Amino acid sequence: MIGDGQRIVVALSGGLDSVVLLHLLRFHLRREVYAAHFDHAMRVDSGADAQWVSGLCRAWSVPLETARAEDPPRSEAAAREMRYTFLVAAAERIGADAIVTAHHADDQAETVLFRLARGTGVAGLAGIPVRRGIVVRPLLAFTRAELEAYARVSRIHWRDDPTNRSLRYARNRIRHRVLPELERARPGATRRIARLARAAAAAERAWRGIVEAAMKDVVECSDERGFVLARERLLAYDPHVRARVIRHLLDRLGSRPDRAGTRSAMTFINSGTSGGIMELAGGVRLEREFDRLNLRSVPSEPQQPDAA
């Protein structure tokens, strides 16, 4: 996952998980390690975290990149986007081969349960990927309890973020209420949920191969605006494969219909008459011409200036 001689940057919050990760990489795997800390400015005392992290990196002789948000993000999603934008920029400045984050098995289980409760398919059950682009997550196989045991034995200190204990956030309610209850009812539940995520990720990799082969079979021609599909060849596939092929092609065109939109598109493909047209999300049009299906991006109409 992290090869010899690679230069890596660790996303370091100062919490247990990231401090353990930095310690492992710095003192045991002995990689060329840099750290990066982003202050979201969402708490009055967040600056103290940055100072503590700076002191830790000095003590461990780890170069540190830091930044602080000019305006605090208004949501967890916005905070995540700002953080990863900073991490990618830091990796580019450093010339790092990988960004390493400290997500662990408990994070994986929380993510799977959160998506399951919200409503998801197999792709959602795959949870947090071990690798996405230059971001790698080597601790996904380990529980938080194991990381804490390592920290205690190694006499490592860390800082607790009080927002991680707040039950205002759905993820924290899953972390502090749902998962502990599952563990009491079925010890080892966290590991088994994480194992389910790995199985779902493997299934998704297999699906990608099937869908890519099916697309080569059914797409007769394509350009920057869309695709022409052989309808009869598409209908020869299992309905689940058909739906995935269409969703994949729509995604390439910037269209992401919800489940109802996908069902409507599949119904049109199955029974639509020649000359029929269907408008899809994201400005994409699906049209049947005899035994061909045209999937096209439709240019938006230019806005007319108001009359004087």
Side-chain angles (χ1 to χ4, degrees):
M1 193 178 300
I2 303 171
D4 291 337
Q6 284 195 331
R7 179 177 294 179
I8 57 179
V9 57
V10 174
L12 182 64
S13 67
L16 166 71
D17 318 330
S18 63
V19 171
V20 165
L21 176 62
L22 183 64
H23 189 272
L24 283 165
L25 293 169
R26 169 68 178 84
F27 296 106
H28 291 284
L29 296 183
R30 300 188 182 280
R31 298 297 191 264
E32 186 179 355
V33 180
Y34 292 72
H37 176 82
F38 185 73
D39 182 356
H40 300 89
M42 296 176 73
R43 304 190 332 268
V44 174
D45 62 345
S46 64
D49 292 344
Q51 291 177 357
W52 188 89
V53 163
S54 179
L56 176 72
C57 288
R58 282 196 304 271
W60 289 0
S61 299
V62 174
L64 175 66
E65 293 269 330
T66 62
R68 178 181 171 88
E70 293 184 5
D71 297 307
R74 297 185 177 183
S75 67
E76 289 183 90
R80 183 183 184 280
E81 182 177 352
M82 292 172 67
R83 183 168 63 254
Y84 275 93
T85 298
F86 159 71
L87 289 170
V88 170
E92 289 177 351
R93 284 193 300 272
I94 294 167
D97 301 289
I99 297 168
V100 188
T101 71
H103 294 91
H104 49 71
D106 294 56
D107 295 322
Q108 186 71 287
E110 291 163 19
T111 299
V112 171
L113 289 175
F114 183 80
R115 292 179 180 178
L116 187 62
R118 188 176 57 188
T120 189
V122 175
L125 292 179
I128 305 168
V130 173
R131 178 186 293 275
R132 175 174 289 161
I134 66 168
V135 178
V136 295
R137 302 176 175 95
L139 299 183
L140 280 176
F142 302 96
T143 64
R144 190 182 193 281
E146 288 174 319
L147 300 185
E148 186 167 348
Y150 173 88
R152 300 292 185 195
V153 169
S154 304
R155 298 182 180 180
I156 296 172
H157 299 284
W158 65 89
R159 287 179 67 85
D160 285 319
D161 183 347
T163 59
N164 289 334
R165 298 191 297 271
S166 172
L167 297 181
R168 291 172 48 204
Y169 303 105
R171 280 186 173 275
N172 286 352
R173 292 196 293 274
I174 293 173
R175 176 180 304 170
H176 298 299
R177 290 181 174 176
V178 177
L179 270 178
E181 285 297 324
L182 282 174
E183 283 291 340
R184 279 189 281 271
R186 288 288 185 272
T190 299
R191 282 193 182 281
R192 286 190 286 273
I193 295 170
R195 189 161 59 239
L196 170 65
R198 291 195 296 272
E204 278 301 296
R205 288 193 294 273
W207 266 111
R208 281 197 293 271
I210 292 169
V211 170
E212 287 171 6
M215 285 195 302
K216 289 179 181 178
D217 181 35
V218 303
V219 175
E220 294 190 334
C221 60
S222 64
D223 56 31
E224 67 278 0
R225 286 189 54 199
F227 307 90
V228 176
L229 314 180
R231 178 174 175 270
E232 291 301 321
R233 289 209 296 272
L234 179 63
L235 292 177
Y237 285 92
D238 181 271
H240 289 87
V241 179
R242 277 182 245 156
R244 282 185 174 249
V245 166
I246 294 300
R247 283 200 301 270
H248 191 86
L249 294 175
L250 287 173
D251 186 67
R252 288 189 180 183
L253 296 175
S255 174
R256 295 173 178 83
D258 57 17
R259 292 185 180 183
T262 301
R263 283 197 299 270
S264 297
M266 300 315 299
T267 299
F268 176 88
I269 290 169
N270 293 343
S271 58
T273 57
S274 181
I277 296 175
M278 180 180 182
E279 303 294 337
L280 301 173
V284 175
R285 179 175 295 163
L286 176 59
E287 182 177 3
R288 180 177 171 189
E289 293 181 359
F290 299 105
D291 193 33
R292 286 181 173 80
L293 298 167
N294 291 315
L295 202 57
R296 294 275 168 191
S297 293
V298 180
S300 57
E301 294 288 338
Q303 292 186 343
Q304 298 296 325
D306 295 334

